[in-house]
């Protein structure tokens, strides 16, 4: 299953070349992850998908976004689940056109020690619902 977040592209997201600045795409991915965690799970267990950090990110820019004051779909899914980390895939699209593909590696962390921790059974169950192979 995939989760879809609506990202609003603002005028100030564009750079001097008139397209969305490369760094903004990671902000769109972050907003999608926050929305996914909060809407889908956090109300039931506020520790799930909050105690994580980005260990790696990849962005493939396929086509520039030049239209602002418009919403774009950010589809999110889980590509793989490990012991303490998982890989999230993303696509930014509008009207069937895919502008960007991204991946992040998320590592679960203990907020007190700031060290990685295993994914709980509850978290694994949630993540498995979004696992797309």
């Amino acid at each position: 299953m995939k989760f879809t977040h609506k990202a609003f592209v603002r005028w100030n997201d564009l750079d001097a070349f008139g397209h969305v600045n490369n760094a903004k795409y990671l902000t769109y991915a972050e907003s999608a992850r926050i929305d996914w965690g909060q809407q889908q799970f956090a109300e039931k267990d506020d520790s799930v998908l909050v105690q994580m950090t980005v260990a790696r990110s990849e962005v493939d820019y396929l086509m520039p976004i030049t239209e602002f004051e418009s919403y774009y779909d950010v589809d999110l899914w889980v590509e793989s689940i490990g012991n303490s980390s998982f890989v999230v895939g993303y696509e930014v699209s509008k009207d069937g056109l895919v502008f960007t593909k991204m991946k992040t590696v998320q590592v679960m962390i203990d907020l007190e020690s700031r060290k990685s921790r295993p994914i709980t059974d509850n978290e694994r169950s949630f993540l498995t619902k979004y696992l797309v192979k």
Side-chain angles (χ1 to χ4, degrees):
M1 168 169 58
K2 292 184 179 182
F3 175 80
T4 301
H5 168 77
K6 297 288 187 184
F8 186 73
V9 174
R10 303 171 305 165
W11 177 82
N12 68 347
D13 290 350
L14 277 59
D15 60 18
F17 298 109
H19 58 70
V20 170
N21 180 278
N22 63 308
K24 292 293 182 180
Y25 290 93
L26 292 173
T27 301
Y28 301 153
E30 176 186 46
S31 295
R33 268 193 323 275
I34 291 168
D35 191 20
W36 174 54
Q38 287 179 340
Q39 284 191 17
Q40 300 300 306
F41 204 74
E43 292 175 6
K44 297 175 190 125
D45 179 350
D46 64 353
S47 68
V48 174
L49 300 181
V50 174
Q51 299 176 355
M52 65 179 173
T53 190
V54 176
R56 176 175 166 69
S57 56
E58 295 177 26
V59 184
D60 291 323
Y61 305 98
L62 306 175
M63 187 183 323
I65 292 176
T66 57
E67 181 185 347
F68 61 94
E69 294 188 0
S70 185
Y71 285 93
Y72 289 77
D73 291 332
V74 181
D75 291 327
L76 171 156
W77 62 93
V78 175
E79 292 190 353
S80 63
I81 306 169
N83 293 325
S84 62
S85 65
F86 58 99
V87 177
V88 180
Y90 313 82
E91 282 186 354
V92 178
S93 65
K94 183 175 182 182
D95 299 330
L97 293 174
V98 177
F99 295 89
T100 308
K101 292 184 178 187
M102 299 178 277
K103 286 185 187 183
T104 59
V105 176
Q106 304 296 136
V107 176
M108 302 309 294
I109 59 168
D110 179 288
L111 294 178
E112 288 182 25
S113 69
R114 302 284 182 195
K115 294 185 180 181
S116 67
R117 65 163 177 82
I119 295 171
T120 67
D121 290 342
N122 207 17
E123 291 164 336
R124 187 173 302 278
S125 175
F126 174 74
L127 294 169
T128 301
K129 288 192 273 184
Y130 292 91
L131 189 59
V132 175
K133 295 185 180 187

